[in-house]
Amino acid sequence: MFYDAVENAHGLKHDPFKALVAPRPIGWISSISADGVANLAPYSFFNAVNDRPHIVMFSSTGVKDSVVNIDATGEFVCNLATFDLKDEMNTSSAAYGSQVDEFEASGLETAPSKMVRPPRVKRAPAALECRHLETKRLTDLNGVPLQGHVVFGQVVGIHIDDSLVSDGLVDITRARPIARLGYMDYAVVNEVFAMPRPPQP
């Protein structure tokens, strides 16, 4: 099948876009408000976008608490969402008010960060401490502003649980990270394979 994506004329039960752009890493973002209230929320439009320095991004539909907090304080943490934490991650996705601490609402213990103020999820086997670079509001082909806001941050500190390291390498299957698919679906990473790059022609 083919359909006009601008008109979204797919004729299916649900828009298939997110089911096709999959799996997507989950940015489980912790931040803190200017008033000191901790916030924790998962974002499925999340990824690394630069290597040196390490830069990550996440996109929020609308100006949610994470965006407000990060714009105000300039810091956030990306916590690794894993299969063992899937229920708490899902609970933290609810539309709580800005004065609600999602760590408490999800029954999660915090751990202090080293270089930024927002706490991290203590049980998360990895976390990226970040400082805010830019928040960009998206526009469409006609220059019309959209609800999407992309937050960029530079990673300034990385936490890795020692149990993930084997022979000097991170074995990500030990963490069993989860990824977002389409609809209400998720995947878990518990098997990997390697392919060496081909030689230069």
Side-chain angles (χ1 to χ4, degrees):
M1 65 174 284
F2 172 83
Y3 70 93
D4 184 328
V6 176
E7 297 297 329
N8 209 26
H10 48 76
L12 302 175
K13 290 182 179 180
H14 298 283
D15 186 344
F17 172 69
K18 289 188 280 188
L20 297 171
V21 184
R24 300 186 307 281
I26 297 170
W28 202 9
I29 307 298
S30 55
S31 61
I32 194 165
S33 72
D35 296 330
V37 179
N39 180 270
L40 180 66
Y43 292 87
S44 70
F45 288 155
F46 164 81
N47 222 313
V49 293
N50 198 66
D51 186 28
R52 290 287 186 270
H54 306 316
I55 294 176
V56 296
M57 58 71 63
F58 73 91
S59 179
S60 171
T61 301
V63 182
K64 296 179 181 176
D65 292 339
S66 300
V67 178
V68 172
N69 293 349
I70 294 166
D71 283 349
T73 66
E75 299 175 330
F76 62 100
V77 179
C78 305
N79 303 274
L80 187 64
T82 65
F83 187 80
D84 291 341
L85 289 164
K86 65 184 186 306
D87 294 327
E88 291 87 347
M89 183 280 300
N90 193 42
T91 298
S92 72
S93 71
Y96 296 105
S98 61
Q99 293 304 308
V100 174
D101 181 332
E102 284 85 358
F103 284 94
E104 294 181 2
S106 304
L108 289 165
E109 189 175 351
T110 64
S113 297
K114 297 284 189 183
M115 302 177 71
V116 298
R117 284 185 60 209
R120 52 195 177 88
V121 176
K122 185 174 183 178
R123 286 171 52 205
L128 311 176
E129 297 187 11
C130 304
R131 292 212 172 101
H132 183 228
L133 292 173
E134 177 186 8
T135 298
K136 180 176 177 58
R137 185 171 184 180
L138 298 176
T139 59
D140 68 9
L141 289 170
N142 299 313
V144 176
L146 304 175
Q147 290 300 307
H149 291 71
V150 183
V151 177
F152 294 91
Q154 182 171 328
V155 180
V156 294
I158 299 178
H159 299 264
I160 304 172
D161 192 282
D162 291 341
S163 66
L164 301 188
V165 180
S166 175
D167 193 27
L169 299 174
V170 170
D171 182 353
I172 199 62
T173 63
R174 295 182 179 184
R176 298 196 299 168
I178 54 175
R180 196 69 168 89
L181 306 176
Y183 319 119
M184 295 293 106
D185 299 335
Y186 292 80
V188 59
V189 178
N190 53 23
E191 182 178 344
V192 301
F193 61 92
M195 287 196 300
R197 290 184 180 178
Q200 289 290 338

